[in-house]
Amino acid sequence: MRELIRIHEADDPRIAEFRSIRERDLTGRDSRFIAEGTVVLRMLIGAHCAGGDFAAEKLLLLENRVEGLAALLQELPGEVPVYVASQPVLDAIAGFHLHRGVLALGHRRRNPAPAQLIESLPAKALVVAAFGISNHDNVGAIFRNAAAFGADAVLLDETCCDPLYRKALRVSVGAVLAVPYFRAGSTAEILTTLAGAGFSIWGLSPAGAVEIREVPAADRMVLITGTEGEGLSPEVLARVNTARIAQAPGLDSLNAATATGIALYGMAMAQGRL
Amino acid sequence: MRELIRIHEADDPRIAEFRSIRERDLTGRDSRFIAEGTVVLRMLIGAHCAGGDFAAEKLLLLENRVEGLAALLQELPGEVPVYVASQPVLDAIAGFHLHRGVLALGHRRRNPAPAQLIESLPAKALVVAAFGISNHDNVGAIFRNAAAFGADAVLLDETCCDPLYRKALRVSVGAVLAVPYFRAGSTAEILTTLAGAGFSIWGLSPAGAVEIREVPAADRMVLITGTEGEGLSPEVLARVNTARIAQAPGLDSLNAATATGIALYGMAMAQGRL
């Protein structure tokens, strides 16, 4: 049976990183992050044990959640401490009512340079590049879709929000911890590196030249997606092939996550990877 | 210039319906609803003026939002009062900081019976039926996707949550007020009515028989979508054609809104309606 360390006081220094996690989310962090909920915890432990890009540092669980998590905790190496608390103590630590009762602190083991990550991609590759996505739900949904359609990587330009934020991680159902990614560089730099690596580059736009399900297959394909309101900039669209998703006349009304899902599905089908 | 009625006190009875709207959302309502934000307000005023299913009763605006809404307010018939308040008064009314500053009270003018709505559909029709959707974001997203792909109606069984809830309305970008719908009846009743009206009925399932983009065209098609976790019940799947969305091996990982979007896109393309 896994050793559990009981926390009685919200100000116990051993769980300091879990204090007031809502405010913490607003202030940005180093390469550490809070994983919330069983689904994300499972992905974190999976990455930890597989020697992936992410490692677990410590867990903080509601006492009555421990039994249901027993099998998962068995997989966790012994050097990662597991703290448990009652609901009142847990709520006092987190700063709000944490009904899920499952928190973990993780960190990024390594942060591959953009050129290095792109170079490491297989000869047949499907990649998503997202430019200027500032909404945590949307960035999380992009990772979830990337995982669903077997994409090899997600490339975020430096203006995207951090996918390791608690809410983005949750919306991604932990896919942020499973799909290789970077968040660095300008859109111009990323496009140049992709072109140099032989990628067929497709940007989504309501005025795109090719309907998304008619995009021709290529060994290496990348989908570029922009912000929900403004979309991709004219500078980006001028440098790439453009694809559209047919919609009813009137407003361009798909949300960013759904548009990315439809486009990735089309490109993955074109490549015959599903 | 539109007449504006200034509210100085949060307990003014003329704006009582806007008080503590967060709690109100939890308790359910009659056929009245709160529309929040400019996008939803625009759809409400559009429905009101076109004699659609929904009417506006009153508006409550942050004083500094009035100028930006002047053109929209011009369209609003004079009998709908427009109240304005300062930020502190508005926040005291709503019960939280309402930075958007745009609220409206609306009501449903008529509530078509399910059989009547289905009968009124055109000979060439595309419809979404959603069973057991209890998440306001997902029900809102289903309406948004339905509008984006020109669906003629959304049919919700009686166990779905109310799409007129403030958050569902907002996620739908107001499409709930534009796409005809009902929320009534059991799944069995809805399926029987649809079959009687000549609909080709397709249910989404990870184990579906036909890949969604190969579903054959029919004049009248309906997409059935279920809850994110459990999906459609075996009883429903046994009565309908089943379609799948190909995904990478492992978890069935698309969210409900994205899955509905991909499926609706496929069916709308099959019908040649986009």
Side-chain angles (χ1 to χ4, degrees), chain B residues 53 90 99 111 115 133-134 148 152 162 186 211-212 221 261 263 266:
Chain B
D53 286 348
L90 187 64
H99 64 100
N111 209 342
I133 308 284
S134 58
D152 298 291
D162 189 343
S186 68
E211 180 62 33
I212 190 67
M221 300 179 80

Side-chain angles (χ1 to χ4, degrees), chain B residues 24 50 57 59 69 80 88 145-146 214 218 230 263:
Chain B
R24 221 171 268 266
E57 288 186 33
L59 273 55
L69 295 169
V80 181
N145 288 335
E214 280 145 24
E230 302 176 10

